[in-house]
Amino acid sequence: MPSQSEIGPVLSYLETGKGAKIAYHRHKASGSELPGLIFLGGFMSDMTGTKAMALEAHAKSRGQGFLRFDYQGHGASSGRFEEGTISLWASDALAAFDSLSEGPQILIGSSMGGWIALLLALARPGRVDALVGIAAAPDFTKAMWANFSPEIRDTITKEGRHSMPSDYGDEPYIITRELIEDGRENCLLDSPIPIACPVRLLQGTADTDVPWETAPRILEKLESEDAEAILIKDGDHRLSSERDLARLSCILDQLSGIES
């Protein structure tokens, strides 16, 4: 567990039992009984993105606790990206949740982070008050594999990896056989998802990475009776415009029990 001196605006690290170092920023609640907020980033992204920073500022303005962190192989954490899997990154999220948060929490998962958030909610149902997905992408490795050409599949099978250009930076995505195989073990959309807490799924109709039909499909599988898919006309994958962030902040206030 981190000491009080480690908690603050400076970058801190959580050391896991296997020697990994998870970089994080944690803002503790200031006299508030509101549920905390935990941001779960996407595939090959980090905790310094527009949404994470805007949500942290919003939480601080409410006196609400907020946690953002980097998975192994992402951002300032230890490890190599190409050695990561859904299981590993979900274990990072669970370690951060257990060690760096207390009481009820609202999970906010962006893209792959939406998959991680669902897995985390399944693992800790008693402490997850609500879940918000932003272009949530559960089972994306399965869809990725289905869309690969036979040549790419053959390369991954035989050589163990494939380098794929990224639309969001200079570094390519390294897709490994381990990532694909592990993803199959964590798929959620082939059966009911026993999550009972409130869920809100924000999805842009112009998202070129996650088909807009994904949000209704997740909604259909969720057992929660308080779940909504919110389709945003012409919304992109990031959903980080001022209007998008205002909508997200309003949803979080509602789920937190803050009256507008």
Side-chain angles (χ1 to χ4, degrees):
M1 293 287 289
S3 67
Q4 288 296 315
S5 63
E6 291 177 299
I7 299 172
V10 299
L11 182 65
S12 300
Y13 290 92
L14 171 69
E15 294 191 10
T16 70
K18 296 183 179 180
K21 295 177 65 176
I22 306 301
Y24 70 91
H25 284 277
R26 180 187 183 193
H27 168 69
K28 294 197 73 175
S30 54
S32 169
E33 296 184 358
L34 298 173
L37 305 179
I38 299 179
F39 184 80
L40 301 150
F43 189 63
M44 210 175 175
S45 65
D46 61 41
M47 62 175 165
T48 63
T50 302
K51 290 189 290 292
M53 302 306 295
L55 291 176
E56 182 178 71
H58 183 74
K60 287 181 178 180
S61 73
R62 300 295 196 265
Q64 198 165 11
F66 187 85
L67 173 66
R68 54 188 170 97
F69 66 94
D70 288 329
Y71 313 111
Q72 291 181 58
H74 291 68
S77 289
S78 65
R80 299 172 60 198
F81 174 80
E82 56 264 37
E83 295 176 349
T85 62
I86 300 302
S87 291
L88 179 67
W89 297 327
S91 72
D92 291 342
L94 187 61
F97 185 90
D98 287 344
S99 298
L100 303 174
S101 73
E102 299 174 354
Q105 301 291 317
I106 296 176
L107 307 180
I108 309 152
S110 177
S111 193
M112 181 188 78
W115 189 357
I116 302 296
L118 291 167
L119 293 171
L120 184 52
L122 290 170
R124 295 291 184 268
R127 286 189 52 215
V128 175
D129 254 21
L131 187 154
V132 177
I134 308 165
D139 304 10
F140 80 87
T141 54
K142 182 178 180 180
M144 183 184 287
W145 181 258
N147 291 325
F148 281 153
S149 68
E151 292 78 14
I152 292 176
R153 291 190 194 183
D154 191 57
T155 297
I156 293 174
T157 300
K158 293 180 177 179
E159 300 179 14
R161 56 191 287 147
H162 167 67
S163 180
M164 189 170 69
S166 167
D167 293 331
Y168 301 102
D170 297 329
E171 293 293 323
Y173 294 145
I174 305 299
I175 308 302
T176 66
R177 183 173 56 241
E178 289 76 15
L179 176 68
I180 297 297
E181 292 176 348
D182 177 82
R184 295 187 185 117
E185 299 299 318
N186 288 284
C187 282
L188 296 174
L189 297 179
D190 293 330
S191 59
I193 304 174
I195 289 175
C197 69
V199 177
R200 302 292 182 268
L201 302 169
L202 282 70
Q203 178 66 54
T205 62
D207 189 337
T208 57
D209 293 302
V210 178
W212 70 263
E213 295 91 347
T214 303
R217 188 180 175 200
I218 299 170
L219 190 69
E220 180 184 4
K221 297 295 183 179
L222 287 166
E223 294 185 355
S224 172
E225 295 183 357
D226 183 5
E228 300 176 7
I230 303 165
L231 297 181
I232 300 163
K233 184 177 180 180
D234 297 327
D236 62 8
H237 183 62
R238 291 175 181 263
L239 293 179
S240 57
S241 69
E242 289 188 12
R243 184 176 181 181
D244 292 328
L245 294 173
R247 179 189 296 108
L248 177 57
S249 296
C250 182
I251 289 171
L252 289 171
D253 282 353
Q254 293 171 353
L255 292 172
S256 300
I258 300 173
E259 296 183 3
S260 57

